[in-house]
Amino acid sequence: MSLLVVGLSHRSAPVSVLERAALVGDEQVKLVQDTLAAEPATEAAVLATCNRIELYADVDKFHAGVAELSTLLAQHTGVGLDELTPYLYVHYEDRAVHHLFSVACGLDSMVVGEGQILGQIKDALALGQELHTAGRLLNDLFQQSLRVGKRAHSETGIDRAGQSLVTFGLEQLAQDAPVAEWARGKRALVIGAGSMSSLAAATLARAGVAELVIANRTLERALRLAESLAQQHAATPAAITVAGAETLHEGLVARAVPRDRVAAELPHADIVVSCTGATGLVLTAEELRTALAQRAACPPGAESAPGPEVSLLDLAMPRDIDAAAHRIEGLRLVDIESLAEAAAEPSGAAGTSAGAMAADVDKVRAIVSAEVAAFGAAQRAAHITPTVVALRTMAADVVTSEIARLEGRLPGLDDKQRSEITQTVRRVVDKLLHAPTVRVKELASTPGGAGYADALRELFDLDPQAVAAVSRADGSARTAEPNDPKGGRA
């Protein structure tokens, strides 16, 4: 195994750099394809979230791999290599496995223990499988990371600390008040209908907002989300309105509108959450000032009169909302940068006691360490399997050849005699090979055990092409396997 990861995250880089380095559009696809086309890499996958960009690859040369992956990240993010390099981190082999398992458990998240990362890891694996850039190693690695993440959440109390960024962001907007108390009765506008925006909409619906507007470039997707939330939160007669048509439901007032209607909806919104994949700003400072002016023009005491302040939550990377909103009176903006600052405070990332959270984190770290050791042992043992298979195939060919020679020298053998001789020779060969092949598999699972496969090939003069053929067949079979049914989105 020669697993290499090169990346940057909120732990290594300021948000301003992460924002510029964000992969937009089909850049993720191009990045993994170009990585696979690069000489040092035989497999590739990219994990890109709002606060991390990581490129995983199976490489045959460490230094060449680091240089190539760093260059590719610079090319596809548009940040110069000299500027990007100080913020990059590199993990290799077991340290790379440890890193991904820690990420999957939420230990490396901005908000420790958050579970949203599991869905993002699943998406990274699905993209690698779709593009055929993830082979045996990365398939095994990412699928196991999903299982490790789920194990951590089911066997420890990390969920108590593991708020999503959405929840954490809303808590920052609510300041000292409970989110449900702060949000109750307000009008909310959610821009986008992807996983993070959907989570935000669901969280606001549970918190008791009076009205929820979903604005999305694809109206049908916004409509499905609005209908689902309205049906889940039945309480009083309400309506889902789409493009002027109404469908009555018992529940939350939810409306779906196309994204070009955001400017018209903005003056009526008390809470705005935005998380899109747009390459430019979705809400500019000028649009926000215009919306505030329209809010101010609403007659006091009117039924549709908005509240005194607009709360903005920007979870996009790069940002959706103009950072100048921080300086506009009447607006309160929480974005990835301010979330990172809040998470760095001693009490910013969890509502549980520090002692309980520390104990949960220690338990998760113990799980990660044990799983890394098990994964490494399994990978090292698997590394020698093609050599053992090639050895046994060679032995079987020798038996077949010698039996054929014997039949030529003793043509008078009847079928019973021939069968008995053949089985006796095979039993002798099997017994001679059994102990060394079992032992070499055990030794191969230990650190540094990869050398035993090389020794076996050298001692028995095995054809490298025969070993490679077994490896290719095994890799193809593993790649073709469907996703682990337990590896779904958290």
Side-chain angles (χ1 to χ4, degrees):
M1 177 179 63
S2 298
L3 176 66
L4 175 66
V5 56
V6 178
L8 68 161
S9 73
H10 64 283
R11 293 186 181 275
S12 70
V15 173
S16 59
V17 174
L18 284 173
E19 184 178 16
R20 291 172 53 210
L23 297 172
V24 296
D26 60 353
E27 281 300 324
Q28 289 188 44
V29 173
K30 293 178 181 177
L31 176 57
V32 290
Q33 289 176 332
D34 287 354
T35 302
L36 193 63
E39 184 177 339
T42 57
E43 299 182 34
V46 61
L47 177 58
T49 73
C50 61
N51 53 28
R52 78 176 61 249
I53 303 162
E54 295 177 346
L55 185 54
Y56 291 77
D58 185 5
V59 299
D60 56 4
K61 299 173 183 176
F62 172 74
H63 293 291
V66 171
E68 187 66 36
L69 266 58
S70 301
T71 300
L72 286 166
L73 280 171
Q75 290 175 349
H76 287 272
T77 60
V79 180
L81 182 59
D82 290 344
E83 183 180 358
L84 189 65
T85 298
Y87 303 113
L88 294 177
Y89 47 79
V90 174
H91 299 295
Y92 190 53
E93 296 189 330
D94 283 353
R95 290 301 307 169
V97 177
H98 189 281
H99 175 74
L100 181 59
F101 286 5
S102 297
V103 168
C105 293
L107 293 180
D108 198 60
S109 295
M110 186 180 294
V111 180
V112 174
E114 62 94 8
Q116 186 77 5
I117 188 65
L118 286 173
Q120 294 160 334
I121 291 174
K122 184 184 176 185
D123 291 343
L125 173 60
L127 179 62
Q129 290 176 331
E130 178 185 346
L131 299 175
H132 305 290
T133 62
R136 183 187 63 80
L137 174 59
L138 292 185
N139 268 283
D140 287 353
L141 174 70
F142 275 72
Q143 289 184 11
Q144 187 62 25
S145 73
L146 291 170
R147 288 188 280 268
V148 173
K150 290 188 173 184
R151 180 187 169 194
H153 284 280
S154 65
E155 295 183 13
T156 75
I158 196 71
D159 282 331
R160 291 196 297 267
Q163 311 158 340
S164 70
L165 275 181
V166 170
T167 305
F168 189 42
L170 292 176
E171 287 184 350
Q172 298 307 302
L173 286 174
Q175 297 177 297
D176 295 331
V179 170
E181 181 181 313
W182 165 78
R184 189 176 299 118
K186 292 184 177 179
R187 295 181 176 86
L189 169 63
V190 176
I191 306 173
S195 59
M196 192 72 79
S197 298
S198 298
L199 180 60
T203 303
L204 288 167
R206 286 195 302 271
V209 294
E211 184 180 22
L212 184 61
V213 179
I214 313 293
N216 193 50
R217 186 169 51 187
T218 305
L219 183 60
E220 291 79 6
R221 194 170 181 180
L223 173 59
R224 286 195 298 270
L225 178 57
E227 286 181 330
S228 173
L229 291 173
Q231 291 166 359
Q232 290 175 35
H233 298 274
T236 56
I240 298 175
T241 306
V242 183
E246 286 191 350
T247 304
L248 292 179
H249 283 273
E250 293 291 323
L252 175 73
V253 177
R255 292 192 293 120
V257 299
R259 207 162 83 184
D260 59 13
R261 288 278 302 166
V262 165
E265 298 292 339
L266 197 57
H268 310 289
D270 304 304
I271 304 169
V272 179
V273 180
S274 188
C275 186
T276 74
T279 55
L281 292 175
V282 173
L283 295 177
T284 66
E286 186 57 37
E287 288 171 328
L288 291 168
R289 290 191 181 94
T290 299
L292 285 175
Q294 293 174 350
R295 286 171 69 87
C298 185
E303 184 178 349
S304 61
E309 183 180 74
V310 180
S311 300
L312 308 172
L313 178 57
D314 185 359
L315 297 171
M317 186 64 73
R319 69 178 70 240
D320 278 348
I321 301 175
D322 197 332
H326 283 294
R327 300 186 295 273
I328 299 177
E329 186 177 355
L331 298 179
R332 175 169 168 75
L333 172 63
V334 169
D335 52 21
I336 293 295
E337 190 164 14
S338 53
L339 285 176
E341 293 172 357
E345 297 173 2
S347 60
T352 58
S353 70
M357 179 176 175
D360 290 329
V361 168
D362 286 344
K363 290 177 184 177
V364 173
R365 284 175 176 161
I367 289 173
V368 169
S369 295
E371 291 284 0
V372 170
F375 184 83
Q379 289 296 311
R380 288 187 288 269
H383 178 72
I384 204 167
T385 298
T387 301
V388 172
V389 171
L391 173 60
R392 288 193 170 274
T393 301
M394 184 190 75
D397 291 343
V398 170
V399 169
T400 300
S401 176
E402 290 303 315
I403 292 298
R405 282 185 59 200
L406 182 63
E407 289 179 347
R409 296 171 62 184
L410 299 174
L413 292 174
D414 59 31
D415 290 344
K416 182 178 180 180
Q417 292 170 328
R418 185 182 302 107
S419 176
E420 186 64 33
I421 292 171
T422 299
Q423 291 196 26
T424 298
V425 174
R426 285 177 177 166
R427 279 196 297 270
V428 170
V429 171
D430 285 343
K431 287 182 178 180
L432 287 172
L433 291 180
H434 176 72
T437 53
V438 169
R439 183 61 179 148
V440 80
K441 285 182 178 180
E442 294 174 349
L443 293 170
S445 66
T446 62
Y452 289 102
D454 298 332
L456 205 60
R457 287 193 295 270
E458 187 69 24
L459 288 170
F460 287 92
D461 195 24
L462 296 177
D463 181 3
Q465 295 300 321
V467 176
V470 176
S471 299
R472 286 194 298 272
D474 180 57
S476 298
R478 288 171 181 261
T479 302
E481 290 176 359
N483 282 345
D484 183 272
K486 296 181 181 179
R489 184 181 298 277

